[in-house]
Every structure is written in structure tokens, then in C-alpha cells.
Amino acid sequence: FSAPAPASAAQPMAAPLQPGMGGMDLGGAMAPMAAAPPIAPTGPAPMTAYEKNGLRITFTFEKPADRAGVTIINATFQNSTAAAFTDFIFQAAAPKHFSLVLSPASGSVIGPAGSNSDVTQTITIQNPMQVAKPLMLRLKVQWNTNGTAVQDIAQVSSFPPGV
């Protein structure tokens, strides 16, 4: 047995192909590659669930193929004002025939507009009885801004088809 060749003597490795950069044909010349089709979203279209007092709540949805009757809602909380929202709390409730699990929020401070400091939170909804009733959520939000407490309750019932 001989010792392995040192790394400097190794055969040069081909650079990995980059998407959209073309591929090699058998003659070594670059051949254009067709662009890959866009990846389809895994759930219904996103929606603005709440927009008031400078707070915008956007819901995006996932429908896991391996979990019948489950919808995962990813909530993003954004501030459009010049002052931060502190002590932010989000609560959600669903009708009795749904099971709702609210994960902890990613933070309790939503920075001012343009600060790129959104807060996110996941809501997992299960329809264990596969009841064909539309989803409805009651939302409660509260926060402080410039020393003032803000609190609001809203109902969301106009979910996109498939939720």
C-alpha cells in the first residue's frame, strides 16, 4: 500500500454547478440550462389579519401533508410607527371544535418602522373531527408605546380558501 497523495497533488475538483449558470456538455463547452420552475407555496395565500394602531399582523399558512386536519399559521407582527412597541402580547382563541396551540413569540418588543425587528409567533390549528365549518379566530393584542398601554380585540373570519 502506498501513502495517500498530499492534498496539493490531488486532482482538481470541478466547481459545483450554480443554478442558472449553465452546465457542461460532453465537449466541455458551456451549455445553457433551462430555468427551474418557481417553487409553489405549501399552503393558501398569505393574508393581513389585523391592521390598526400601527400594528400589522400577517398570516402565512402551511398545510402539512402528513397531518390531516392541521393548519400551521405563521404570524408576523410589524410596527409602522416611529416608536417601539414594548411588552407585546398576542393571544388567539378558536371555536370549541378546533384545537389551538399557540407557541411562544420570538420576542416582546417590536421595533419602530424600518428597524427590521418584527416579532413572529406560530399558531397550530387542528380540526380533529374534520368538521366542515370555517375557521374563525378571536385575537387579543396588547403593548405599550411611548408610555401608553394599547389593547385591542378583533375577530378574523375571512381566511383564504383551503384554510
Side-chain angles (χ1 to χ4, degrees), residues 12 20-21 23 31 37 39 42 44 47 64 66 75 79 81 83-84 86 89-90 99 107 113 123 130 137 151:
M21 297 298 291
I39 297 173
T42 63
M47 69 176 280
D66 60 341
N79 177 357
T81 71
T86 60
I89 297 173
F90 171 78
S99 168
I123 308 163
Q130 298 298 309
L137 292 178
Q151 180 175 310

Side-chain angles (χ1 to χ4, degrees), residues 54-131:
L55 174 66
R56 172 185 276 189
I57 303 173
T58 305
F59 286 168
T60 57
F61 305 94
E62 296 175 42
K63 299 285 280 183
D66 60 341
R67 296 170 65 194
V70 172
T71 301
I72 298 171
I73 303 173
N74 298 299
T76 302
F77 309 99
Q78 298 172 305
N79 177 357
S80 63
T81 71
F85 294 166
T86 60
D87 305 315
F88 178 77
I89 297 173
F90 171 78
Q91 295 173 313
K96 288 185 249 180
H97 54 272
F98 290 98
S99 168
L100 182 146
V101 176
L102 191 60
S103 70
S106 63
S108 62
V109 176
I110 306 172
S115 66
N116 229 8
S117 59
D118 301 343
V119 169
T120 59
Q121 193 163 6
T122 302
I123 308 163
T124 303
I125 304 284
Q126 183 169 16
N127 187 350
M129 305 291 279
Q130 298 298 309
V131 176

Side-chain angles (χ1 to χ4, degrees), residues 6-47:
S8 61
Q11 293 292 325
M13 293 182 61
L17 292 177
Q18 299 294 319
M21 297 298 291
M24 299 292 284
D25 70 9
L26 293 176
M30 295 298 285
M33 292 180 72
I39 297 173
T42 63
M47 69 176 280

